[in-house]
Amino acid sequence: MRAYDIIEKKKNGKELKAEEIKFFIDKYTSGEMPDYQASALLMAICINGMTKFETSELTRCMLESGETIDLSDISGVKVDKHSTGGVGDKTTLIVSPIVAACGVPVAKMSGRGLGHTGGTIDKLESIPGFRASLEREEFFETIESVGFSITSQSGNIVPADKKLYALRDVTATVESIPLIASSIMSKKLAVGSDCILLDVKTGSGAFMKSFDSSIELAKTMVDIGKSNNKETIAVITNMDIPLGNAVGNSLEVIEACEILKGRGDGSLRKVCIYLAANMLYLAGKGSLSRCKEMASNSIKDGSGFYKLREMVKKQGGDTDVLENYEKFPKAKVSHLVISDRDGYINRIDAEKCGIATVVLGAGREKKDSEIDYSAGVVFNKSIGEFVKKDDVIAAVYSSNEDRCAKGKQILLSGIDISPLKLPVSPLIQARVTDEGIEKFI
Ligand code: URA
């Protein structure tokens, strides 16, 4: 078998055989296939797509490229959650403790920021002392004693994805349904939870920009889950605008704490309760409306926040910062983003906001860039709100004057204010199960 022939076959839009897909994954993971051949094949897949059979084989081969985790020693139905990536998406920090507080164990392996999107591990590492890289025993022990744990992905879990993702990131081959579906589902299957909830982001700040392509991605992943005997639900949520009021690592931890303390942004709370309720539903805790009630109650009675604090403490983090936000290291420079006119805020472009946040220092411009945990954006105003000239829309934070000014300009270029109020896309747009699609728009 030759890589050249596989590339040519996919270039001509033909279906690859199982052994050809296996050859690609095995040879690329072991370093025997060079980046230029893997890139060419990825681009051919991006352009010509993959059949259901090919996507399922690709997922299987990626899963088999490394170790898997057996969670069967942990009692209860374990539920995992994964977001396809967004701006201001701190839902894992809120949803996991809520679900754990309702008695359902959550074993979560999360990633770091990627491109303009943030990552849960970077957010958690903004908490002084927090250890995100746990050995298997400690990960299990934390789930057993606290009810949930969040750890970074070990290098031995789906090593094929580690290599392929880094290559896709720099070859414009991220936005492909079979590639995203196999990347996410191979990791979810490797971690071994019983059920999976997927949060598929749609809109300008998401990898899937259109509603239809988001539905197709959701269906593809739900099918993969089903064929691997994992009950899987996908919800489609809006990522035209950043989620919540804060974007940036410690700023998002603060916002997550506020939600768990029963305060903060209503849209963010609504999405989190919906995601948590679907996880509880998957774990067999009752009807979706009953599960929503349980999730809301764990915010009202403080048990969700208590769980977050317990997990942070167990993983070495300073829990004082969760109570007294002033103890987080502060940004050296800040600028206000001021409205230059009266009118309605009709656009806060999520992708622009994500790029601005990276420029401010909250994300990585290069693979090895150091993160500034205090950098980011805090919005005072929301989409659809009326503002007057000179009103403060947001504040931007950075460690350096140049970055602060540049980030502010990028953020401003994604904000539209006009006299006429335009409709805002709904927050929760669809729910996809193996029984069908419920659309809410
Ligand atoms: N998240 C992943 O883990 N993989 C992708 O390909 C896209 C988002």
Side-chain angles (χ1 to χ4, degrees):
M1 208 174 293
R2 294 191 319 153
Y4 181 97
D5 299 325
I6 301 174
I7 298 166
E8 172 126 299
K9 193 168 175 187
K10 191 78 265 183
K11 182 185 82 180
N12 293 329
K14 303 227 173 79
E15 184 177 70
L16 300 180
K17 291 193 186 127
E19 54 270 30
E20 290 167 329
I21 294 170
K22 183 167 165 42
F23 178 89
F24 162 48
I25 294 301
D26 288 353
K27 296 290 175 202
Y28 186 59
T29 309
S30 66
E32 290 165 78
M33 183 187 283
D35 280 353
Y36 52 82
Q37 284 186 316
S39 311
L41 184 53
L42 289 172
M43 188 56 84
I45 293 171
C46 249
I47 292 168
N48 290 325
M50 276 187 143
T51 61
K52 198 171 165 179
F53 165 79
E54 288 175 299
T55 309
S56 132
E57 282 304 306
L58 180 60
T59 309
R60 191 176 59 77
C61 294
M62 287 174 66
L63 169 65
E64 288 172 0
S65 71
E67 290 173 10
T68 55
I69 295 183
D70 180 0
L71 295 175
S72 58
D73 281 350
I74 297 172
S75 48
V77 181
K78 277 77 62 187
V79 190
D80 202 352
K81 162 202 179 277
H82 194 91
S83 156
T84 57
V87 178
D89 182 359
K90 69 280 291 170
T91 55
T92 293
L93 300 179
I94 302 167
V95 167
S96 312
I98 288 178
V99 171
C102 296
V104 173
V106 181
K108 183 83 183 84
M109 279 202 178
S110 287
R112 296 182 187 279
L114 189 79
H116 68 278
T117 67
T120 302
I121 295 300
D122 294 332
K123 297 175 215 256
L124 281 169
E125 284 181 344
S126 72
I127 301 172
F130 188 86
R131 284 178 295 105
S133 168
L134 301 186
E135 291 301 330
R136 193 173 294 221
E137 294 67 36
E138 196 181 352
F139 182 48
F140 276 40
E141 214 261 301
T142 308
I143 301 165
E144 291 274 23
S145 61
V146 178
F148 85 108
S149 177
I150 303 177
T151 182
S152 54
Q153 195 168 317
S154 121
N156 301 332
I157 304 277
V158 197
D161 183 64
K162 255 199 153 162
K163 281 193 84 176
L164 280 173
Y165 205 98
L167 188 62
R168 287 168 60 211
D169 201 22
V170 292
T171 55
T173 52
V174 172
E175 287 161 39
S176 150
I177 288 174
L179 296 179
I180 295 178
S182 55
S183 159
I184 290 177
M185 291 308 287
S186 57
K187 288 179 287 200
K188 296 295 100 182
L189 296 174
V191 174
S193 286
D194 304 296
C195 321
I196 303 163
L197 177 72
L198 302 163
D199 180 9
V200 177
K201 300 288 182 195
T202 190
S204 92
F207 292 125
M208 291 290 108
K209 310 279 182 214
S210 77
F211 179 69
D212 288 347
S213 60
S214 307
I215 291 277
E216 202 186 324
L217 173 61
K219 272 188 353 203
T220 306
M221 294 195 287
V222 168
D223 280 352
I224 295 172
K226 188 174 182 189
S227 57
N228 285 277
N229 299 318
K230 305 277 179 197
E231 211 184 323
T232 306
I233 293 178
V235 296
I236 314 281
T237 62
N238 184 12
M239 193 36 75
D240 275 329
I241 48 174
L243 187 56
N245 293 328
V247 187
N249 300 297
S250 63
L251 303 172
E252 291 190 45
V253 172
I254 294 170
E255 190 174 23
C257 290
E258 284 294 281
I259 295 291
L260 288 169
K261 290 173 187 172
R263 303 189 287 254
D265 179 72
S267 309
L268 174 60
R269 182 180 320 112
K270 187 174 166 189
V271 172
C272 289
I273 288 177
Y274 191 69
L275 294 173
N278 273 283
M279 289 172 79
L280 295 170
Y281 174 84
L282 278 165
K285 290 283 182 184
S287 67
L288 196 55
S289 61
R290 170 76 194 114
C291 290
K292 276 188 200 162
E293 213 175 286
M294 287 172 74
S296 303
N297 284 342
S298 76
I299 293 181
K300 278 191 204 124
D301 67 13
S303 56
F305 179 68
Y306 181 76
K307 278 282 160 218
L308 177 69
R309 208 173 45 193
E310 256 190 296
M311 186 280 284
V312 168
K313 185 165 181 208
K314 184 93 185 149
Q315 296 190 206
D318 175 2
T319 52
D320 280 357
V321 298
L322 308 181
E323 306 284 358
N324 183 355
Y325 308 140
E326 292 302 312
K327 292 195 170 170
F328 270 114
K330 286 274 157 304
K332 292 200 184 87
V333 191
S334 70
H335 283 193
L336 295 178
V337 178
I338 307 280
S339 176
D340 61 355
R341 70 195 78 178
D342 289 2
Y344 291 95
I345 303 184
N346 283 323
R347 185 172 75 109
I348 301 175
D349 187 274
E351 187 169 23
K352 285 265 162 64
C353 177
I355 296 168
T357 312
V358 173
V359 169
L360 289 166
R364 295 176 187 80
E365 286 181 321
K366 296 193 211 112
K367 263 189 193 164
D368 51 359
S369 306
E370 280 230 350
I371 291 227
D372 175 359
Y373 292 115
S374 62
V377 181
V378 176
F379 288 95
N380 280 16
K381 304 283 179 192
S382 322
I383 194 87
E385 212 174 311
F386 186 81
V387 285
K388 284 189 166 315
K389 185 173 182 304
D390 296 332
D391 274 356
V392 176
I393 300 173
V396 292
Y397 299 94
S398 185
S399 58
N400 146 333
E401 180 58 45
D402 254 20
R403 283 181 169 277
C404 208
K406 239 200 240 166
K408 176 179 166 179
Q409 273 324 108
I410 298 170
L411 181 67
L412 264 171
S413 70
I415 298 178
D416 287 347
I417 298 172
S418 47
L420 208 66
K421 185 174 177 175
L422 300 178
V424 179
S425 309
L427 215 51
I428 300 164
Q429 304 192 353
R431 180 171 183 262
V432 180
T433 67
D434 60 358
E435 284 165 8
I437 305 167
E438 280 173 272
K439 290 187 185 171
F440 309 123
I441 55 171

